[in-house]
Amino acid sequence: MERAVRIIILSVIFLASQINCQEAILHISNETTDREYCIVHNHSWTPLSETLGAASQYPLVNMTSTVLCNASGVSPDVVKGKALVVMRGDCDFSQKALVAQSLGAATLLIASSKSLITPSANESEYAKIHIPLALMRYRDLLEAQQVFGEGMQVKLYAPPSSKIDASIAVMLLIAIVTVALGGYWSGASERDRLNGVRPGGGGGGESKADSGELFLYSPLKVVFFVALMCGMLVLMYFFYNVLVYVIIAIFCLASASALFSCLDAVMEKLGCGTGSFSIRNCNLSVRSLILAAACISIAVVWGVYRNEDRWIWILQDLLGIAFCLNFMKTISLSNFKICVILLSLLLVYDVFFVFITPFFTKNGVSIMVQVALGPDASGEKTQGNMVEVPAEPQAPSEKLPVVMRVPRFSAWAQSLCGMQFSILGYGDIIVPGLLVAYCSRFDVWINSSKKIYFVSCCIAYLLGMIVTFAVMLLSGMGQPALLYLVPFTLVTSAVVAGCRGEMRQFWAGTTYEVLDSSREPLLPEGRTDCSAGGERC
């Protein structure tokens, strides 16, 4: 009984998540081959079959020499029971449909050299039209003529798109794995430093400065950092067309360096030799040279083909993961107080630029969304139930490489009209990831064999991401993920520290709060399970 109830509940959720889109598919075939093209229709006016098998097939009659605003010059015998394609212009969609219907056409396709929009008419005319009506790109018709010649058979269908797409699960996996790996790497580096192990092997521990890591220990530095981010975002909003190329160049350099650091650490962990040799008293590593060449090549390929949506998202996500991992390993927050200040300020920053700025912008779009997606974002624009799809290939608009991108797998019809992506900003990984990294280092400082802080914070991050996606699906709009991730991770970390009686140490944090000061360390070096009053691990 319980199993049946669960199945029913899941079925209801799945069906409720199905939405009817205005994008549909034109299936053209002959005896030997078939192809599919993007069309736009009005589901509430002329609904189409949801599957190819259920769709009716009609011979296609090409009459693009006319706009079909009247029946003059068109023989009913030529179009009766067939799909008719005419050119857009000179009269309303409804008038063309009524004329085609009076001639006995079974379906009307309107070829357009302009952007495809959802066909609409006066409400009084909706009931008069009983044949399917859709817009298609004129260039698609010309391509189909070259491929099929005469004798084309067409089917029109509109598969429903699910709000719950597999890309969300992929995005969730990328986020949690990146955060967990970044936190683990930060903790492992801290353990190696305390044990006196250099990254390249050997003893003689190194300081934070020697390891190339940066740290935030001053609240004033944190406030300055967040203010700098606000200033950069506003500058990007007003000078996007210039600064976007600067950011792209910086990303190529930073991501190539980050990818090198990640791969080099993996090679070191696997025990791969370096194969050193000398040229004019300069020691070089074969492994480093090969890795550097590979990482630079990947970054260059991404830079050259960055606007190729079909496959470049794979390289962007790879470089983005490496960038986030290296950021979390390199930037250290010295104590929980700094974590609270930084994450709280960035929470306010995220909410303000997503929810508040639309009230001040001319087009009503938030500054955060405008900068993340670009001023000419996406080839497809939506407004309520209306869509607009470019009829001709558009010049690629530059986008900032600041998001993970995964194509929507279930949006087949929408992808024919223009690639649809689920996105997640790097900040939604890095910002909570800095707290996860701090928890991982704190586990090292207290010699926690169960890594209780690290594991708890990772679980909190996972739950926060699930809530973010759930709210996004229910509300039908993008969410500032930090609004959910920051409370989940901060509260969970504080509760764990409070329950274990370690809040004072957790709040005070690292022994490196002030490197240039003679103050005593906040935590004793080499602390064991019982070295600070018998706290549990």
Side-chain angles (χ1 to χ4, degrees):
M1 182 64 182
E2 291 182 1
R3 184 178 180 183
V5 171
R6 291 177 183 175
I7 294 175
I8 293 174
I9 293 174
L10 290 174
S11 300
V12 170
I13 294 174
F14 177 77
L15 292 174
S17 70
Q18 301 290 302
I19 55 175
N20 292 304
C21 298
Q22 309 294 12
E23 302 92 336
I25 297 174
L26 173 64
H27 181 90
I28 302 180
S29 63
N30 58 19
E31 295 179 355
T32 58
T33 186
D34 61 87
R35 288 196 179 182
E36 292 186 329
Y37 299 95
C38 164
I39 57 176
V40 175
H41 77 125
N42 189 328
H43 176 79
S44 60
W45 184 10
T46 54
L48 301 176
S49 301
E50 294 187 354
T51 63
L52 178 62
S56 300
Q57 180 170 282
Y58 304 103
L60 181 66
V61 178
N62 184 356
M63 299 193 66
T64 50
S65 58
T66 178
V67 293
L68 202 68
C69 291
N70 55 65
S72 61
V74 181
S75 171
D77 295 333
V78 176
V79 302
K80 187 173 183 180
K82 299 177 181 179
L84 177 62
V85 56
V86 300
M87 286 301 295
R88 179 180 178 179
D90 292 357
C91 57
D92 297 335
F93 298 131
S94 58
Q95 185 175 342
K96 295 177 187 290
L98 288 171
V99 172
Q101 186 172 280
S102 67
L103 292 171
T107 298
L108 176 62
L109 290 169
I110 301 175
S112 175
S113 298
K114 300 185 294 184
S115 295
L116 309 186
I117 60 172
T118 304
S120 59
N122 295 327
E123 291 187 7
S124 59
E125 296 180 340
Y126 281 174
K128 300 177 183 178
I129 299 170
H130 309 292
I131 62 172
L133 163 67
L135 273 69
M136 69 176 297
R137 299 182 177 112
Y138 182 56
R139 65 180 175 88
D140 288 344
L141 178 63
L142 296 179
E143 179 188 309
Q145 285 180 316
Q146 292 179 349
V147 173
F148 298 98
E150 300 298 327
M152 289 184 282
Q153 301 287 325
V154 300
K155 289 184 177 182
L156 280 67
Y157 69 105
S161 177
S162 174
K163 290 183 179 180
I164 303 175
D165 188 80
S167 61
I168 294 178
V170 175
M171 192 68 72
L172 184 63
L173 181 64
I174 290 175
I176 187 61
V177 169
T178 304
V179 165
L181 284 178
Y184 176 82
W185 191 9
S186 180
S189 298
E190 182 68 11
R191 185 182 304 107
D192 290 343
R193 191 203 61 76
L194 292 177
N195 292 335
V197 179
R198 292 183 182 273
E206 58 182 347
S207 67
K208 285 274 185 182
D210 294 335
S211 68
E213 295 184 28
L214 303 175
F215 53 93
L216 290 176
Y217 61 82
S218 166
L220 186 60
K221 282 189 175 182
V222 172
V223 173
F224 177 77
F225 174 72
V226 175
L228 186 64
M229 289 183 61
C230 294
M232 278 299 300
L233 189 64
V234 173
L235 284 176
M236 285 298 307
Y237 179 75
F238 288 105
F239 303 102
Y240 185 92
N241 293 331
V242 176
L243 293 179
V244 65
Y245 295 103
V246 177
I247 301 299
I248 288 173
I250 293 174
F251 176 76
C252 286
L253 295 173
S255 60
S257 175
L259 185 59
F260 175 86
S261 297
C262 294
L263 294 179
D264 191 57
V266 172
M267 292 291 186
E268 189 68 35
K269 191 71 174 177
L270 296 176
C272 297
T274 58
S276 301
F277 64 95
S278 298
I279 298 179
R280 294 184 179 180
N281 298 323
C282 179
N283 291 326
L284 299 174
S285 166
V286 175
R287 186 182 78 187
S288 296
L289 290 176
I290 294 175
L291 285 180
C295 295
I296 292 173
S297 299
I298 291 174
V300 169
V301 170
W302 176 86
V304 173
Y305 296 100
R306 62 186 179 276
N307 293 313
E308 181 60 52
D309 280 342
R310 297 289 171 179
W311 59 272
I312 203 63
W313 61 271
I314 299 174
L315 288 187
Q316 180 166 323
D317 288 354
L318 173 64
L319 293 172
I321 290 171
F323 179 82
C324 293
L325 287 174
N326 195 58
F327 196 101
M328 285 185 278
K329 185 259 181 183
T330 303
I331 304 297
S332 300
L333 304 184
S334 60
N335 53 56
F336 189 58
K337 177 180 69 175
I338 296 298
C339 293
V340 171
I341 295 173
L342 178 63
L343 269 67
S344 299
L345 288 177
L346 289 176
L347 168 60
V348 175
Y349 159 88
D350 205 22
V351 171
F352 175 79
F353 281 105
V354 171
F355 286 145
I356 307 301
T357 55
F359 295 104
F360 306 107
T361 56
K362 293 181 180 180
N363 56 2
V365 177
S366 74
I367 290 180
M368 184 76 77
V369 171
Q370 190 86 13
V371 169
L373 299 181
D376 303 318
S378 81
E380 179 179 337
K381 302 175 183 178
T382 63
Q383 183 64 38
N385 290 325
M386 310 298 285
V387 300
E388 181 179 347
V389 179
E392 298 296 334
Q394 303 293 297
S397 59
E398 297 291 354
K399 298 181 179 64
L400 288 178
V402 294
V403 294
M404 301 290 183
R405 305 169 69 207
V406 177
R408 289 178 56 84
F409 302 111
S410 66
W412 175 239
Q414 292 87 338
S415 294
L416 281 176
C417 299
M419 286 289 287
Q420 304 290 306
F421 289 92
S422 297
I423 63 173
L424 181 69
Y426 292 167
D428 300 328
I429 296 175
I430 291 175
V431 174
L434 292 174
L435 174 59
V436 173
Y438 171 72
C439 290
S440 181
R441 293 194 304 276
F442 189 79
D443 282 327
V444 172
W445 298 333
I446 64 173
N447 291 326
S448 174
S449 59
K450 296 182 180 180
K451 302 183 184 298
I452 184 66
Y453 287 93
F454 170 66
V455 173
S456 300
C457 202
C458 285
I459 293 174
Y461 178 79
L462 174 61
L463 295 176
M465 286 297 301
I466 292 174
V467 170
T468 301
F469 284 126
V471 174
M472 180 190 71
L473 293 173
L474 293 174
S475 65
M477 60 182 293
Q479 298 293 312
L482 294 184
L483 179 62
Y484 311 97
L485 297 176
V486 168
F488 266 87
T489 52
L490 282 180
V491 171
T492 300
S493 302
V495 168
V496 171
C499 291
R500 291 168 55 85
E502 296 172 335
M503 178 55 78
R504 178 178 298 178
Q505 294 82 5
F506 192 60
W507 182 262
T510 176
T511 58
Y512 298 95
E513 183 175 11
V514 282
L515 293 181
D516 300 324
S517 172
S518 59
R519 289 171 55 185
E520 292 295 321
L522 297 173
L523 283 176
E525 293 279 4
R527 169 183 170 183
T528 62
D529 291 0
C530 304
S531 62
E535 290 90 353
R536 300 188 308 276
C537 293

